[in-house]
Amino acid sequence: MFSRMFSEVQSVVPSSMGFCWGQYNPHTLSKRTSIVHLFEWRWADIALECERYLAPNGFGGVQISPPNENVIVTDPKQPWWERYQPVSYKLCTRSGNETEFRDMVTRCNNVGVYIYVDAVINHMCGANAGAGDHATCGSYFNAKTEDFPAVPYSGWDFNDGKCKSRSGDIENYHDISQVRDCRLVSLLDLALGKDYVRSKVAEYMNHLIDIGVAGFRIDAAKHMWPGDVKAILDKLKDLNTAWFPEGTKPFIYQEVIDLGGEPITGSEYFGNGRVTEFKYGAKLGTVIRKWNGEKMAYLKNWGEGWGFVPSDRALVFVDNHDNQRGHGAGGSAILTFWDARLYKMAVGFMLAHPYGFTRVMSSFHWPRYFVDGKDINDWVGPPSNSDGSIKPVTINEDTTCGNDWVCEHRWRQIKNMVIFRNVVDGEPFSNWWDNGSNQVAFGRGNKGFIIFNNDDWNMSVYLQTGLPAGTYCDVISGQKEDNKCTGKQVYVSSDGKANFQINTDAEDPFIAIHVDAKL
């Protein structure tokens, strides 16, 4: 199977691409156009999910949680954010050890689902993390004296001398030097201007490339100078030729929270790779919630027309692991699985629209508890056993997940829209229609069409779809199985037009059809 996959990759990705714009290209197989963030999953479960679900349903890859050794935080008990407090670059975490990591990468690559590592390279653990061996591989460290012998890093390798704030932490986000040279919430800030530090970071990333990963999310990129990031990326190897064409550069997307109010902008990082477009989820949430007078009709020029970064530089998402908890960016406008009906509409819109490279979120439940509008349980880590080990992802008979795993990527509506995006890949944005309010529709050339009713009244319209005549299965209310529709049917007449009726009480107030769902 893997040799077939490799020849398929070679046929769709010219090897010269690695030299020209490889870092902007996720290198997913042809007609696999989205990745999923399996947040806090174990490596063993990700390997299984690649084989049994992601590959058969056309997912291109997985963003994984940081794989390197981190502090074990005991108060509160093992929060999700302990993964963002490195102690060394050894590959052992609550998700698994290096053997399990290698097995996951190999198995996922062999079915054409690639692995993107969340790379925490801006800092080590918090200055208040103490000393000892309370780390996931048992490595000794001393945060107070900045001693990390498992790397090794010492006090020489941190930015204390460069930081000009009184506390040593970032105090003013309008001071560019503070944002990049001081500690982010007391996390020990690495001196990435030093070649030794750059080399240790690159050594870690190259080890992951040797194992077979396809690229990296660069955590906290805004807190590093773009030139320092570039100097590290320039030391990286090409991707492993067991799975990727010779000369292929790793895919890079950088976490830069830029909502437009600070001096540091996403565009400063374009030379290194794509950036995470945080305005996307914040604005889309506001529109779908109908806040601030926003209407879906205004989405006609969605993308660059809304002040977003260029499409070929954007990685987009409705929510991520930070802002679904109220951290990061977007505030209460962000839609999440807690608002399932509106969330499915937002993800459906994202996956139908051509802008950006799309990432789907896959979450876990936590016991939300609000005090003065803030969720005081936003720290809670993944579903765990009493010894702190992460619980496996169990699969229910209806294909949803158990053990408190949410698995939005397995919701029929989202999975089917991932497939929709694959079917319409490369087709133009076309046949826009709106009612001036919150009923909108658009096509993707002659391959797909989607329509939403987010108004408070029923819809019945006759629209040009751009699709060939025939009977189509709506992939939101159901799908095509055994040449029958399990949900609604849509009849497209010889002139390409179809009637759409969506009542306000519909489980999901949108309909999507594409040529692969035609009877």
Side-chain angles (χ1 to χ4, degrees), residues 180-389:
R180 290 173 173 160
D181 292 335
C182 297
R183 295 175 183 175
L184 171 65
V185 292
S186 91
L187 297 163
L188 297 172
D189 200 60
L190 282 167
L192 295 173
K194 289 184 61 174
D195 194 62
Y196 172 75
V197 178
R198 292 171 175 176
S199 295
K200 296 313 284 186
V201 170
E203 187 181 297
Y204 162 58
M205 295 171 77
N206 279 328
H207 181 47
L208 296 168
I209 289 170
D210 286 343
I211 290 170
V213 308
F216 301 92
R217 170 194 183 264
I218 306 294
D219 178 67
K222 176 164 114 176
H223 300 282
M224 298 179 265
W225 295 93
D228 289 345
V229 177
K230 182 181 188 301
I232 292 165
L233 298 179
D234 284 347
K235 295 177 182 289
L236 297 189
K237 300 178 177 181
D238 295 337
L239 296 184
N240 189 322
T241 53
W243 295 287
F244 302 96
E246 196 174 332
T248 305
K249 301 289 179 209
F251 177 46
I252 301 296
Y253 54 107
Q254 302 156 96
E255 185 204 16
V256 183
I257 300 175
D258 170 17
L259 294 178
E262 295 172 14
I264 294 176
T265 63
S267 59
E268 295 174 53
Y269 293 83
F270 288 171
N272 297 328
R274 291 189 185 240
V275 296
T276 50
E277 180 49 280
F278 277 87
K279 292 191 283 286
Y280 191 102
K283 297 281 192 191
L284 190 57
T286 303
V287 171
I288 290 191
R289 291 184 189 278
K290 301 186 275 195
W291 287 357
N292 307 339
E294 293 286 9
K295 299 173 179 174
M296 288 190 77
Y298 302 159
L299 296 173
K300 184 174 183 179
N301 66 336
W302 184 244
E304 291 95 342
W306 280 63
F308 301 163
V309 302
S311 180
D312 63 358
R313 294 294 178 268
L315 181 120
V316 299
F317 45 95
V318 172
D319 63 328
N320 79 342
H321 68 280
D322 276 316
N323 63 18
Q324 69 173 198
R325 290 165 171 75
H327 299 266
S332 55
I334 297 298
L335 285 165
T336 71
F337 68 87
W338 298 107
D339 313 287
R341 191 168 186 264
L342 296 181
Y343 184 71
K344 286 181 281 189
M345 271 204 287
V347 177
F349 183 90
M350 173 182 79
L351 292 169
H353 196 281
Y355 174 84
F357 183 72
T358 48
R359 181 183 66 202
V360 172
M361 184 66 198
S362 192
S363 316
F364 56 80
H365 287 106
W366 71 94
R368 289 205 296 179
Y369 188 72
F370 288 93
V371 174
D372 297 328
K374 184 183 186 315
D375 179 4
I376 61 171
N377 282 339
D378 60 7
W379 59 271
V380 172
S384 301
N385 301 304
S386 56
D387 65 355
S389 60

Side-chain angles (χ1 to χ4, degrees), residues 433-483:
W433 169 87
D434 66 73
N435 70 339
S437 184
N438 290 291
Q439 298 176 2
V440 304
F442 61 91
R444 294 292 304 278
N446 61 0
K447 295 283 182 69
F449 191 79
I450 192 166
I451 180 166
F452 300 83
N453 180 11
N454 198 26
D455 274 326
D456 300 325
W457 56 89
N458 296 342
M459 165 203 276
S460 180
V461 289
Y462 197 61
L463 298 177
Q464 175 57 250
T465 66
L467 298 184
T471 302
Y472 292 80
C473 299
D474 169 33
V475 298
I476 304 305
S477 60
Q479 57 206 16
K480 177 181 163 185
E481 287 177 14
D482 302 323
N483 210 35

